[in-house]
Amino acid sequence: MTRQIILNAFDMNCVTHIVAGTWRHPESQAVRYKDIEYWTELATLLERGLFDGLFIADVLGVYDIYGGTPDGALRSGAQVPVNDPMLVVSAMAAATKHLGFGVTAATSFEHPYSFARRMSTLDHLTKGRVGWNIVTGYLESAAKNHGLEHITPHADRYDVADEYTEVLYKLWESSWEDDAVGTEPGRAHYADPSKVHPINHEGRHFRVPGIHLCEPSPQRTPVLYQAGSSHRGRQFGAQNAEVIFLGAKSKEALRATVSDIRTRASDAGRDPYDIKIVSGHVVITGATEAEAAARYEDFSRYPDPEGALVLQSGWMGSDLSRYRLDDPVKVADNEFFKSNVEAYGQGDQTLRDFVNRHTIGAQGGFTVGSPTQVADELQDWVEQTDVDGFNLTNVITPGTFADFIDYVVPELQRRGVYKTSYTEGPLRHKLFGRGARLPENHRAAGYRHMAQETTP
Amino acid sequence: MATTPTPIRFGFYEQACVGMGYGSSNLWRHPDDNRVDSLGYDFWVDSAHSIEAAGFDFVFFGDVLAIYEAYQGSARASILSGVELPAHDPFSIASAMLAVTRTLGVIVTASTTYEHPFSLARRFSTLDHLSRGRIGWNVVTSYLPRAANNFGLSEAVPHDKRYDRAEEFLDVALKLWEDSWDDDAYVVDRNTGLFARPDGVRTIDHPGPLYPVRGPHLSPPSPQRAPALFQATWSERGLQFAARHSEVVFGGSQSIDDMRQGIDYTRAAAAAIGRDPDTLSFAGAFTFVTAPTQAAVEEKVADLQRVHESNVDALAAGYGDWTGVDLAKFSADAEVTGSTDHTQSEYQNKAAARSAGQVWGELRALGSGEATHFVGTPDNVVDAIEDYALRTGVDSLVVRPFLFPGTVDDFAEHLAPRLRERGLLAEQTSAPLRARFSPDGSARLGTTLPRNTLTTSQR
């Protein structure tokens, strides 16, 4: 069968996720993010388009690098206010049958014991449709909200993430054996204690002796998403991630990154294609080329330059208010968002580029065109770069997704590169077709029998 | 003391587990019980619908963060019997239940010992927005020593110290909810593009010592701002804390005298620190068995009793971690003793000055010897409820279910119509949760609670 394209919708529990200013567009529903109906309607729409997942980004601080204050972020609603991503998932799951949900949570700010339970609960409630986007947190303001003076250095954050995931794998994969909970309706006992094991984790950052509080959920470990594309981030991804999100400045740059990640996965003992790689893409489309162009013209009246620079300053870890419009933006290496500095902060872009070029096509591919033009372009990205699919950034929500579903999805289906119905079963099975659980060659599998063996 | 009936708000006790606590751990085995299906969202969506339709005003979610293992010094009995297991996260379940209802309030238990105030504050704000003001927080300090171990602490924080931590935790959370955003800061004007007014949004710069938090809060003002603040407690220290910080105090299954005394004590403690005692609301809890005739009641009790006492280890396992008493250590005639760092009020009510034999006897009986176990025909049970409410002055009562959905159905069929007739059932409303309990019907905290005031520069 022709290689199938994976599609995720990218959103956040706030008004301005990536594209600043377009919340003001009359069609935009972004300001309804506080209503549960916004989310259930979005989920229903995405399921109509057979999207693989909805991916919800998150931060735990404000973007206050631009000008040294949060004022610009507040004026433009740039990722602030931002409500909790996890709490909209169960309602969306109740409104859908197949859509997957990727929830962002940082390894820096919540204890793994309670986090493990939160995810297991969602995996049970959704019948195995939940994924976790593993981030280490790049905002210093978030660190300050959690009692730290400064952000933890990048490399140390990943060391913590290594141990954090180890604790989670032990809780998710090894604490309860599959048949620990009985199934007979009239049985006398609920679970068999000899099949439930304390994990006895003693590490540098965490000490967790207990058993997991949840019985095995359909997937046990949620589908593991990751977006860090710095060198340390890629290494972590190669060992842990099942789906990796990449930004893409150009096809050439993306091809190199994809190839590097697949090699690293292979070095970590996995199949290079055990990782689905999806790249960020903005698609603006309509029934015809002219309609798509008109749509782009219309959207172009709304971007908010200050909001765009607020977000870019956060992603660069550098105050872009210090540059004049035609200054090249060259940012010193820092401890915040390394891969973004590597991609965009090397001095080959001016501030004007950030204001003009990146306000709508902020972080990745950018295509304006008719359904056939868009389909051609997406297929070309797949062929040229070896990505598995796309993470569609919204320009307006849910309009961007509705346009894509109405115009582009049928064209992709006609070409046989996009599914015409969902595969039954949990999210992991839908993505990889080999069951609900992590495969034996994944890092987590190494912890699978550990607790069993150490329990007398 | 009131003499004419005041409508009571009825709550339904829930826990995201199969084997419920408070002495009914075995009833999931009853053939009519469907809690074994409680892992998926459809169970909770159906529950939310049926609880709301039955006339309940709110659902109260209990929670634990460790497995019960005081009994026999091991988790064996609780795993075998599903005592408060599994222990799923109530937040995601609350969100699904709120999404499919219009009037039901949901109170979620969350610990000030094991959460961080910054992210917890955001979680509650999110649910308050999503539900349009129907969320409440049961502030607990967590009593299980193993929970401390699971969060990297070598032992549980002692009871009184937990309340000191809780004071600062709440102080931080309230600053985030109440002080960080002005009401008119959230502008969202499509024409001018002004999303929020920076001069109306402030950092809180809380200095610590336990929780240095800078802010600002990440969520704009929600219908209630701070969720309605519940506290399940009946210890002296807990009631002192409640007098300062709580809006609804959940006393559980107290006798009429103990409930009355606790209410008086808490109101006096509130007055002593300059708080209007009428701004405190009190909730009790009860269990019931009812059927149309006395003969049918007796049959139902016998049926439940049979399953209830089918596994005494499960009963002792639940008891062990509420009270800190390991019954396996005591012969029948020995007086039981245990750690008072668990739930002090439970220890007082269920362990103090008792022999192990007495405790076993109470545990084996359906209703666990509780003062608020009401058994009889519908009229008998409604009489008991009315008497209890009148004599204690509680504003709300929480039903602790024996069977699911049997208890909900019995309430809807037998109790709700009679309660309504007698003017005892408060009308359901989509008003914010706080407005249902506050004397002035306000959705916001306002000046109800005494608070550490911010310095001028922070304002």
Side-chain angles (χ1 to χ4, degrees), chain B residues 277-289:
Chain B
D278 289 339
T279 59
L280 277 158
S281 181
F282 292 86
F286 69 99
T287 48
F288 72 92
V289 181

Side-chain angles (χ1 to χ4, degrees), chain B residues 11-22 33-35 38 43-48 50-51 56 58-64 84 86 88-90 93-94 97 104-109 138 250 285 398-408:
Chain B
F12 191 81
Y13 185 88
E14 260 302 353
Q15 214 170 319
C17 62
V18 170
M20 293 286 251
Y22 59 85
D33 192 87
N34 68 3
R35 292 202 71 82
S38 68
F43 174 90
W44 296 105
V45 167
D46 293 348
S47 305
S50 61
I51 292 169
F56 288 100
F58 60 91
V59 170
F60 185 98
F61 263 97
D63 190 27
V64 290
E84 304 201 21
H88 282 167
D89 180 40
I93 293 171
M97 294 178 87
L104 202 64
V106 178
I107 294 106
V108 175
T109 293
N138 175 34
F250 181 35
V398 174
V399 171
R400 301 181 132 156
F402 283 136
L403 292 185
F404 202 93
T407 300
V408 181

Side-chain angles (χ1 to χ4, degrees), chain A residues 58 82-83 87 90 125 145 190, chain B residues 41 80 92 95 122 215 218-219:
Chain A
D58 192 32
V82 53
N83 283 347
L87 295 171
S90 61
L125 290 172
N145 285 329
Y190 188 71
Chain B
Y41 62 74
L80 262 177
S92 289
S95 161
R122 187 174 74 138
L218 293 180
S219 184

